Amino acid sequence: MSGVRTADFGAGVLSRAAGLVHTLVTVEALLLLAAAPGLAGLSLIGPDQANLPLAAVCLLPLGPALSAALYALHHRSHDLTDLHPARTYVRGWRLNALPALKLWAPLLAWLTVIAFTVTHFPATGLPGWWAVLLTVIGAGSLLWGAHALLLTSLFTFRTRDTARLAGYFLFRHARATLGAASLLVLVAASTALLTEALPALLAAPLLLSLLHSGRPVIAETQEDFTA
């Protein structure tokens, strides 16, 4: 016992792994709790295409919940003796709820317009290639949203500056954008092939992957766009 140093406790590989698992489980639970009102509403509305605007309203709480989760995961401790993921999540939600909603709500509205147009495309009378173009624009908007969510969760910028930076990084760091795209494909595939609940249940690991792929974006923002 005398040969074990207290300072080393919680610093080993297994301790860090246990700390990561604890953080992921806690953040996942709090994310689902914060988004619960909207998720409950989604479970009550039918899959009818006419319910797309209502579904968008139900998804509004998800933006601040995701932002707080990114904040908590980014600021997580690697020391098993100093884990406070719940406290960090609450702090992230308090700091980022309104900034995230200022970006999340317009993005949801824009994606709802695109989705409604594509699902009712025969009624528009437009050429078929317009549907492809709208789908590409929707996918690009989602990728922009991933960068915007990352930036607004970790930095304090004005909404318009965050939006501009997200657009800039969309092409500046293609690898980070491809990383976000792969996560979106994974979410879409798991939803279509398995169950809609799976992405929600794996939200914390997916967001940790987004943080990992977005490290160049975070590094450049810290170096070039913060004091």
Side-chain angles (χ1 to χ4, degrees):
M1 294 292 292
S2 59
V4 179
R5 294 185 301 172
T6 305
D8 291 337
F9 181 76
V13 175
L14 290 179
S15 296
R16 291 197 299 270
L20 176 59
V21 171
H22 172 72
T23 299
L24 288 174
V25 171
T26 303
V27 169
E28 178 70 34
L30 291 172
L31 189 158
L32 293 175
L33 180 63
L39 296 178
L42 281 178
S43 66
L44 294 176
I45 64 176
D48 196 320
Q49 298 167 354
N51 290 330
L52 282 172
L54 186 57
V57 173
C58 291
L59 288 173
L60 282 175
L62 185 60
L66 292 172
S67 181
L70 281 169
Y71 180 92
L73 292 172
H74 179 71
H75 292 91
R76 65 186 177 90
S77 173
H78 296 273
D79 186 352
L80 190 61
T81 63
D82 188 32
L83 294 178
H84 306 286
R87 185 188 307 171
T88 309
Y89 184 94
V90 172
R91 185 188 310 125
W93 195 95
R94 188 177 65 250
L95 292 172
N96 296 329
L98 184 57
L101 199 57
K102 288 180 179 179
L103 291 163
W104 184 251
L107 177 62
L108 277 180
W110 174 238
L111 291 174
T112 300
V113 170
I114 292 177
F116 196 87
T117 303
V118 171
T119 54
H120 295 79
F121 193 76
T124 65
L126 294 171
W129 60 268
W130 268 94
V132 178
L133 178 61
L134 287 173
T135 302
V136 171
I137 292 174
S141 300
L142 283 172
L143 294 175
W144 172 89
H147 286 314
L149 186 64
L150 188 66
L151 291 169
T152 199
S153 301
L154 307 184
F155 302 98
T156 304
F157 297 122
R158 294 176 299 180
T159 301
R160 63 175 177 270
D161 292 332
T162 301
R164 290 170 182 168
L165 278 176
Y168 167 73
F169 287 128
L170 194 62
F171 302 99
R172 167 71 173 171
H173 291 292
R175 186 171 298 179
T177 301
L178 287 175
S182 64
L183 292 176
L184 290 175
V185 170
L186 179 61
V187 168
S190 60
T191 300
L193 300 177
L194 298 173
T195 172
E196 299 88 347
L198 188 59
L201 295 175
L202 296 178
L206 291 171
L207 291 174
L208 188 63
S209 297
L210 180 63
L211 277 173
H212 179 77
S213 64
R215 285 185 299 181
V217 172
I218 297 171
E220 183 171 341
T221 303
Q222 289 173 330
E223 182 177 348
D224 295 342
F225 299 102
T226 59

